[in-house]
Amino acid sequence: MKLEGRVAIVTGGGRGIGRSIALTLAEEGADLVVVGRNPESISETAEEIRSIGRRSLFIKTDVSIASDVNSMVEKCIGEFGKVDILINNAGITRDSLLVRMKEEDWDLVLRINLTGTFNCMKAVTKYMMKQRRGRIVNITSIVGVTGNAGQANYASSKAGIIGLTKSIAKELASRGINVNAIAPGFIDTDMTISIPEKTREELLRQIPMGRLGISKDIASCINFLVSDDSDYITGQVIHVNGGMLM
Ligand code: NDP
C-alpha cells in the first residue's frame, strides 16, 4: 500500500468522483477526512472507509466559506496531527447562455469552484510547509481548456483553477509540495446525468475510446499523483478524457 500512514482531505467526498477518490486513497492505506455540505453522504463515505480498516472523519464544510475551511483543517490536525494530501474536488454547475446568465449563478460557481479551491489550498499550506512535504491535486475540467457554450461561469472557474495550480506549484515546489490538476472529460456522475440522450450520443462520437469516463478513471490518476511515483511532477494538468482532447 503506497499511502500507508498518510492523511488525505477530499472535498466533495460524499458522492461521484470525490467518493471514488476517497475510497481509492483509503484502499491504498491513507486515513481520510471526507468533506462536503451534506452530512448524510459524507458520513456514508467515512463509514465505508472505516469498514476497510482506515481511520476516517467526516466534516460538514462549505468550501466557499474560508472560516468553515480553516476550522475543518484544524479538526483534521487535531485528530490526525497532520495533512499530507489535499484533493480539491468539490464543484458545481449552473449552466446557461451568457445573455441569460444571472449574476448570482456566475458568482456562486466562481465562489465554490475557484475560491473554494483557493481556500482549501491556503488552509493546508502552512502545515505542509512545516512538514516539507505535501501533495495537492485540483480537479479542473476539459472545458476549462476548450471553453463550452452555456458554461461561461463553469469554464471560467475551471480555467482559473489551472492558473491557480500552476502559480502555487511554482510557490511551493522548493518546499517539497507538488501541486497538479486533473482535467476530466465527461464522467458518468450526478453532474452529467441530466445531459439529454441526443447530446450524450454526440459527445460519445467525440470520444475516441467510445465511452464516457467513470469516477474510478479519475481516482486512479489521483492515486498516481499523490504517490511517491510522481515525485518529479508539479504544475501539470493531466487530461483524463478517453482521447477527447489531444
Ligand atoms: P457531483 O455533482 O456528483 O459531486 C459534486 C460534489 O461537490 C458533491 O460531493 C458535493 O457535495 C460537493 N460540493 C458542491 N458544492 C460544495 C461546497 N460548496 N462545499 C463542499 N462541497 C461541495 O459531481 P462530480 O463528481 O461529477 O464532479 C466532481 C468534480 O469533478 C467537480 O469539481 C466537477 O466540476 C469535476 N468534473 C466533473 C466532470 C464530469 O463529467 N462529471 C467533468 C469535469 C470535471 P455536497 O452536495 O454534499 O456539498
Side-chain angles (χ1 to χ4, degrees), residues 141-162:
S141 166
I142 189 170
V143 308
V145 177
T146 62
N148 198 21
Q151 289 197 308
N153 49 1
Y154 182 76
S156 301
S157 73
K158 295 298 185 179
I161 287 175
I162 293 174

Side-chain angles (χ1 to χ4, degrees), residues 178-196:
N178 301 30
V179 188
N180 290 292
I182 291 181
F186 280 84
I187 313 296
D188 221 349
T189 67
D190 290 352
M191 191 174 268
T192 45
I193 208 155
S194 57
I195 294 177

Side-chain angles (χ1 to χ4, degrees), residues 12 15-17 36-38 61-63 89-92 112 139-141 154 158 184-187 189-192:
R15 58 193 161 94
I17 295 171
R37 292 168 304 179
N38 178 343
T61 309
D62 183 334
V63 295
N89 161 80
I92 61 159
I112 292 179
I139 306 295
T140 173
S141 166
Y154 182 76
K158 295 298 185 179
F186 280 84
I187 313 296
T189 67
D190 290 352
M191 191 174 268
T192 45

